[in-house]
Amino acid sequence: MPRHGAAGAMSGLVLHGYWRSSASYRVRLALALKGIDYAQVTHDLRLGEQSAPDYLALAPHGLVPALEHDGGVLIESPAILEWIEARWPSPALLPGDPDAAAMVRAMVALVACDIHPLANLRVLKTLRQDFGASEDQVQAWMADWIGRGFTALESLVARHGGRFAFGDHPTLADCVIVPQVYNARRFAVPLEAYPRLVAAAEALLALPAAGAAHPDRQPDAAG
């Protein structure tokens, strides 16, 4: 199992992921924004390494990311994000007000539950292999589901956003929105209809810590 370590890994955390996995990117962003050191282990999704027996022993669902900590293993990025926030509450990525925190969580769910699962690698493979979808049809599928979710997010950012997706400080909402915008750009999904959403993503990417979490800057990034 290839291991790529961040300097020191003082926290004892090991992030199992893949450079272009948007769910892994979410976790890297949260860790970076909080200044938490960690080591990385790569599982190349293109080669199916997430289905290897040694990884399934850690993460039975066969997906990345998984986060090892002090003998335990966490799976599913929304749960990992909440755990990070609970363990390292400063700087906060959830507002203290319950109503505001619920709205941030709703933004997270819009991406993690409504958009991402329908444009995941295994879904796209199923469309191609089991239903004979052409690349144009797969592209249209992704654009449709991303567009539906982004339309809702654009409205929410218009109501609640400031410099970032919710208010003037980064939140967990930004941690999931930025990777989804990255995916949209990767698949050439038009973004002109979502100026507030894109501006919030760009604001987070302008932070040095967030830049370090970018897929292109990971040790396993393809050349």
Side-chain angles (χ1 to χ4, degrees):
M1 193 181 294
R3 187 174 290 267
H4 300 284
M10 295 292 290
S11 64
L13 298 181
V14 179
L15 177 63
H16 295 260
Y18 179 61
W19 70 282
R20 210 160 56 185
S21 158
S22 58
S24 301
Y25 190 5
R26 298 167 190 165
V27 176
R28 291 197 306 266
L29 282 167
L31 292 170
L33 290 170
K34 289 181 176 288
I36 301 167
D37 204 7
Y38 60 98
Q40 293 195 59
V41 176
T42 296
H43 304 273
D44 194 325
L45 304 186
R46 299 167 301 177
L47 303 178
E49 291 178 355
Q50 71 276 20
S51 299
D54 57 350
Y55 183 63
L56 291 176
L58 286 174
H61 63 336
L63 297 171
V64 296
L67 188 68
E68 285 188 87
H69 67 98
D70 300 325
V73 182
L74 298 168
I75 62 171
E76 297 291 355
S77 61
I80 295 171
L81 293 177
E82 291 276 356
W83 180 85
I84 291 169
E85 178 68 8
R87 286 289 298 268
W88 292 277
S90 181
L93 296 177
L94 276 174
D97 175 73
D99 293 347
M103 181 52 61
V104 169
R105 289 186 171 104
M107 291 180 172
V108 169
L110 259 169
V111 175
C113 301
D114 296 349
I115 301 175
H116 179 253
L118 291 164
N120 205 336
L121 178 62
R122 60 183 178 174
V123 171
L124 302 184
K125 282 186 175 180
T126 298
L127 291 174
R128 295 182 181 106
Q129 295 174 3
D130 295 355
F131 296 98
S134 68
E135 288 308 308
D136 285 346
Q137 289 172 320
V138 170
Q139 176 71 23
W141 169 276
M142 289 189 294
D144 180 37
W145 291 111
I146 291 173
R148 294 188 196 199
F150 277 12
T151 298
L153 281 167
E154 179 72 10
S155 177
L156 292 176
V157 174
R159 295 180 203 172
H160 303 287
R163 181 183 174 196
F164 299 98
F166 189 98
D168 293 319
H169 301 281
T171 67
L172 295 181
D174 300 287
C175 292
V176 299
I177 286 171
V178 165
Q180 195 61 56
V181 170
Y182 170 84
N183 273 355
R185 286 175 168 152
R186 178 183 162 207
F187 291 108
V189 175
L191 296 175
E192 291 80 8
Y194 320 111
R196 296 178 179 86
L197 185 66
V198 170
E202 294 297 334
L204 191 77
L205 287 171
L207 301 178
H214 192 278
D216 292 347
R217 297 184 63 181
Q218 302 317 298
D220 58 331

